[in-house]
Amino acid sequence: MNSSQYYYVHLLIIGLIQIVILNNVHLGSYFYINIYMLALYILPHKVKGIPLLLIGFGTGILMDMASHTAGIHAAAATLVAYTRPYFLRGITEGAEEYGQDGHRMLEAGWFFRYSLLSTFLFHLVLVLMEAFSFRDIGISLLRIVSSTFISEVFVMLYYFIGLKRLTK
């Protein structure tokens, strides 16, 4: 299998896990478990510009349809897709370190920093758009931090179980 086929397999697995399992897990109103944005994190480095934004929007709108929400996932996923090149450049301290094939993604420490920053941004937008008010900002901040933490745990679990195992 080539790298694009691996990506589609991961995309299907991540989408099914999110829609079938995680959307039905209710841990109270303070936790959102979202791992589907992992599909944006593992995209090849060469995907940039409009295709990247369309993939982010498409992924988010699919989750909006599955979750019966009014575009908040699409907005958050599109923003994560938009900021992805900047985060990659900032975290890798130079695009040449990332490599042509994305070998840098295989390093757990690098991937953790990148995914944590992106997951935080995703939940920041998601929770603030859902609340659509700064009236209860303390509760919103608690939801952002707790959702980022629990989602990052699941993202890293998938990273070690799904991504690292296939690359060995």
Side-chain angles (χ1 to χ4, degrees):
M1 245 191 254
N2 64 20
S3 64
S4 64
Q5 290 171 330
Y6 277 125
Y7 175 73
Y8 292 123
V9 168
H10 283 297
L11 181 63
L12 180 66
I13 292 169
I14 292 166
L16 286 174
I17 290 171
Q18 181 69 51
I19 292 170
V20 174
I21 299 170
L22 297 178
N23 282 357
N24 295 313
V25 173
H26 300 287
L27 299 172
S29 63
Y30 292 104
F31 296 97
Y32 294 113
I33 305 172
N34 292 304
I35 66 162
Y36 74 88
M37 67 270 184
L38 181 60
L40 297 173
Y41 304 165
I42 64 173
L43 274 170
H45 178 62
K46 62 186 172 197
V47 178
K48 296 178 184 174
I50 300 298
L52 178 61
L53 294 176
L54 290 174
I55 291 169
F57 178 77
T59 305
I61 204 76
L62 286 173
M63 288 305 138
D64 280 326
M65 290 190 298
S67 304
H68 306 291
T69 52
I72 59 175
H73 287 272
T78 304
L79 182 63
V80 167
Y82 178 77
T83 58
R84 180 179 187 258
Y86 303 107
F87 287 169
L88 287 175
R89 225 175 299 128
I91 291 174
T92 58
E93 300 157 4
E96 64 277 356
E97 285 186 34
Y98 188 79
Q100 296 295 334
D101 304 339
H103 293 294
R104 183 78 184 213
M105 178 183 270
L106 302 178
E107 296 177 13
W110 178 91
F111 186 77
F112 175 74
R113 287 190 308 271
Y114 166 62
S115 64
L116 182 64
L117 183 61
S118 296
T119 303
F120 176 77
L121 176 66
F122 174 84
H123 283 102
L124 178 74
V125 172
L126 188 76
V127 170
L128 290 179
M129 285 186 70
E130 183 188 46
F132 206 67
S133 168
F134 290 111
R135 197 174 114 220
D136 294 324
I137 193 68
I139 292 172
S140 293
L141 290 174
L142 178 62
R143 291 171 78 190
I144 291 166
V145 171
S146 61
S147 296
T148 299
F149 173 75
I150 194 75
S151 293
E152 188 63 22
V153 166
F154 280 90
V155 164
M156 292 308 290
L157 277 173
Y158 188 85
Y159 171 80
F160 284 115
I161 293 169
L163 295 175
K164 289 293 265 188
R165 183 174 288 172
L166 287 177
T167 57
K168 288 184 179 183

